[in-house]
Amino acid sequence: MYNLATGKAVTTIKTQNTPTYDLPAPRDLSKKQAEMVRSRVSFPVPVRIGGVPAVVAVVPVQLAKQGSGSAQAGFEVIAARADNGKLIWRLPVDIYGDPAGKLGAILVEPGDGVVTVAWTEDGYVTGSFAVSLDKEPRMLWQRAGFWMIGGFGDAVVGFREEPDEEYSMAGVAAADGRDLWAKGVPAGVTWAVKSNDTALAKLDDDSEQAQLIEIATGDSVVSKRAGLTKRMSCTHGEGGTVLLCASKQDGALAVDKTGKILWRRAAGDRPDGWNGTVEAEFKDLFYVKGKADKVGKAGAFVVDGRTGRTVSADAGIVPDRVNAYAALVYTDTGTEVHLAKR
């Protein structure tokens, strides 16, 4: 963990078990390495444990053998204080079966007193498990046939494997893993894209259109007729109120937590058009990399998610990650830290 004001490491928390992926320290990660590990190891997520701000990381490891058994692939869930980096607890997680491939934690969703994890094997989603955010953590449930793809509050949503080798779309209680609802997968649906920290999830199918569903009920709140497309990526800033869905080809639209459309911007190069890619977000501000100029330099601008207006037409460097204190920019030689101006 790093103090972003100084760039110095506050503490280094090592796993008790051998990590699956041998990588340098975060400050030494190249952009290529960061993109590779992003598909196998999810970013740590902010949570609260016993009322204290904390972060939780899920690290693929080789679990030490127990008794006469052999070492097995699994995870180590690590919680640390957000203010000083001190370890709060760690919990080894032994998943079902004996995985033959390399495990990954592709998605970590914090909820109400629980964190839910979707795990992969050699890049393929295999199952999900949940851990309590108590001072003494415990495994709450795991399901090898349930593939979580998003969550909010006390519910997560994903695909459930059925006995006939078909699949249904299901909502699951984060606290105990019981089904809240299940529906047949709509014709042509291929995947559901996570909508960060919102009550909505995006569904794509074999058409060019997409829809948003409510995680708690499975009900559609933004239909395919609303203009949402498969090529649009939906993002949400930490602490924000707006979900922004956008692509260079199809423009942008923003919705609130109920699915109400707040504004749209059509694709194009005109002043009120949309011609960029969202790279980072914080609260209701979205940092966008625009169209490259004649010398190949891409401009950057910042959009207010509540109104759709451009609040900064020259934002300089677009960050890869941003919060209230600093922005991180991944380069080919390491990670740059840009502190917030006050």
Side-chain angles (χ1 to χ4, degrees):
M1 295 183 69
Y2 292 85
N3 182 333
L4 295 182
T6 64
K8 295 181 179 180
V10 175
T11 185
T12 299
I13 302 175
K14 296 183 177 181
T15 58
Q16 286 184 335
N17 299 278
T18 303
T20 301
Y21 304 101
D22 184 17
L23 293 166
R27 69 183 305 163
D28 298 323
L29 280 176
S30 69
K31 192 174 186 71
K32 184 177 181 180
Q33 288 173 320
E35 290 174 350
M36 182 278 292
V37 76
R38 196 177 286 177
S39 66
R40 298 294 178 96
V41 183
S42 181
F43 285 110
V45 294
V47 298
R48 298 187 76 87
I49 298 176
V52 175
V55 293
V56 167
V58 181
V59 185
V61 296
Q62 286 295 120
L63 297 173
K65 66 178 183 179
Q66 301 292 326
S68 59
S70 59
Q72 180 176 317
F75 297 96
E76 196 168 306
V77 183
I78 299 172
R81 290 180 62 115
D83 54 355
N84 56 25
K86 289 184 178 180
L87 178 70
I88 300 175
W89 47 253
R90 64 176 80 237
L91 181 72
V93 174
D94 181 2
I95 64 167
Y96 289 128
D98 186 9
K102 286 189 174 182
L103 295 180
I106 193 172
L107 181 62
V108 180
E109 279 288 352
D112 295 339
V114 60
V115 63
T116 309
V117 181
W119 85 75
T120 63
E121 186 174 340
D122 286 340
Y124 293 95
V125 184
T126 306
S128 306
F129 66 86
V131 171
S132 69
L133 293 177
D134 302 322
K135 291 183 178 179
E136 296 292 335
R138 66 190 190 282
M139 170 78 80
L140 296 173
W141 56 270
Q142 62 174 299
R143 292 175 61 168
F146 175 70
W147 308 341
M148 180 193 67
I149 44 77
F152 183 78
D154 57 2
V156 295
V157 65
F159 290 104
R160 186 180 70 182
E161 189 174 4
E162 302 294 348
D164 57 2
E165 297 186 352
E166 294 294 326
Y167 299 92
S168 62
M169 192 167 56
V172 166
D176 55 21
R178 62 187 169 83
D179 288 339
L180 298 175
W181 55 267
K183 299 182 178 182
V185 177
V189 165
T190 55
W191 197 240
V193 179
K194 174 194 174 190
S195 299
N196 295 333
D197 194 30
T198 74
L200 309 177
K202 178 174 175 275
L203 282 182
D204 295 336
D205 59 26
D206 55 4
S207 72
E208 294 301 314
Q209 287 71 45
Q211 61 181 307
L212 293 176
I213 65 165
E214 187 177 33
I215 291 174
T217 64
D219 295 337
S220 175
V221 293
V222 175
S223 72
K224 294 172 63 174
R225 298 187 299 274
L228 188 68
T229 71
K230 183 187 296 185
R231 289 184 294 201
M232 288 179 171
S233 295
C234 297
T235 56
H236 175 270
E238 180 185 342
T241 62
V242 175
L243 180 69
L244 175 62
C245 300
S247 76
K248 285 184 178 180
Q249 302 91 338
D250 302 320
L253 65 85
V255 302
D256 65 13
K257 63 182 180 181
T258 68
K260 177 184 177 182
I261 296 177
L262 303 176
W263 55 267
R264 305 173 188 265
R265 284 173 67 167
D269 295 330
R270 57 187 181 278
D272 62 344
W274 185 273
N275 64 350
T277 302
V278 177
E279 297 286 337
E281 57 283 324
F282 175 62
K283 293 188 176 179
D284 286 328
L285 295 178
F286 295 85
Y287 296 76
V288 185
K289 183 179 290 185
K291 185 178 179 180
D293 58 20
K294 293 181 180 179
V295 296
K297 183 178 179 181
F301 57 97
V302 181
V303 172
D304 184 337
R306 295 164 297 184
T307 65
R309 296 190 181 96
T310 298
V311 295
S312 174
D314 185 10
I317 297 174
V318 176
D320 290 276
R321 301 280 287 176
V322 65
N323 63 16
Y325 308 101
L328 302 183
V329 179
Y330 300 134
T331 70
D332 290 333
T333 58
T335 303
E336 297 177 356
V337 178
H338 298 257
L339 298 178
K341 294 180 181 180
R342 300 187 183 281

